[in-house]
Amino acid sequence: RKEVEQDPGPFNVPEGATVAFNCTYSNSASQSFFWYRQDCRKEPKLLMSVYSSGNEDGRFTAQLNRASQYISLLIRDSKLSDSATYLCVVNGAGGGNKLTFGTGTQLKVEL
Amino acid sequence: SQTIHQWPATLVQPVGSPLSLECTVEGTSNPNLYWYRQAAGRGLQLLFYSVGIGQISSEVPQNLSASRPQDRQFILSSKKLLLSDSGFYLCAWSLAGVSEQFFGPGTRLTVL
């Protein structure tokens, strides 16, 4: 089983739509969770951290379910500029703050 | 504010040639530093990480090595490149004890 699993997509959605991505992780000892965004041929950029209580940043909402080892990202009112690959990232129990990256979910927002 | 630099941006090298990729961080002290590789269509693979000068941990056995000669400098090297070394090489930094990592612009390496 992969440490972090994501549906690769692509998710093709019209502008203005709401889209949700899910991610599962295998290490129950993981303590930190993130969503990163990666544009084509660019470096990943931190989108948001995911807290146990859930958190929202503008049109983006992230939620964590520790019991099910499941993380989600909701994007409301999708913009063309949201088109990218979204990486689910989990911090393991090892030292040095090592992160494990999912392979990403590709989002394409269309007119 | 902190910035991270990587060079070169792109590189085409023949099989069997040496490699040296450099990463430097500005605006912070004693960062944790990381080297990742992203093969085409695949996820990020952690290659090396460092928590201080001269301290290198290797994650996977491979044809590459890393060094940290200065606090904010991280170098990825190879004596003889293989075709399978092609990929997008990313350097990242984080504050000690903090999980969030921030990436440099990357080096796209093609081995022919």
Side-chain angles (χ1 to χ4, degrees), chain A:
Chain A
R1 182 184 174 187
K2 288 183 181 178
E3 291 187 62
V4 179
E5 291 204 63
Q6 297 182 251
D7 180 344
F11 284 57
N12 298 306
V13 303
E15 215 176 3
T18 296
V19 61
F21 306 138
N22 303 319
C23 164
T24 57
Y25 62 95
S26 61
N27 186 352
S28 59
S30 295
Q31 296 296 318
S32 303
F33 309 89
F34 310 96
W35 284 100
Y36 279 70
R37 169 194 170 128
Q38 186 173 24
D39 291 289
C40 187
R41 300 180 69 81
K42 297 289 188 181
E43 75 274 22
K45 294 185 178 177
L46 179 64
L47 179 65
M48 59 196 307
S49 301
V50 187
Y51 304 120
S52 296
S53 56
N55 49 301
E56 186 174 312
D57 182 2
R59 297 182 293 108
F60 299 84
T61 300
Q63 292 197 313
L64 168 65
N65 183 322
R66 284 188 184 272
S68 301
Q69 294 179 208
Y70 170 99
I71 306 162
S72 66
L73 177 67
L74 183 78
I75 305 176
R76 290 181 299 277
D77 189 22
S78 299
K79 311 291 185 189
L80 293 174
S81 57
D82 293 333
S83 298
T85 297
Y86 291 83
L87 307 177
C88 176
V89 184
V90 174
N91 166 269
N97 296 325
K98 292 186 288 184
L99 299 180
T100 300
F101 288 74
T103 52
T105 298
Q106 188 179 11
L107 172 65
K108 296 181 180 179
V109 182
E110 303 163 333
L111 286 171

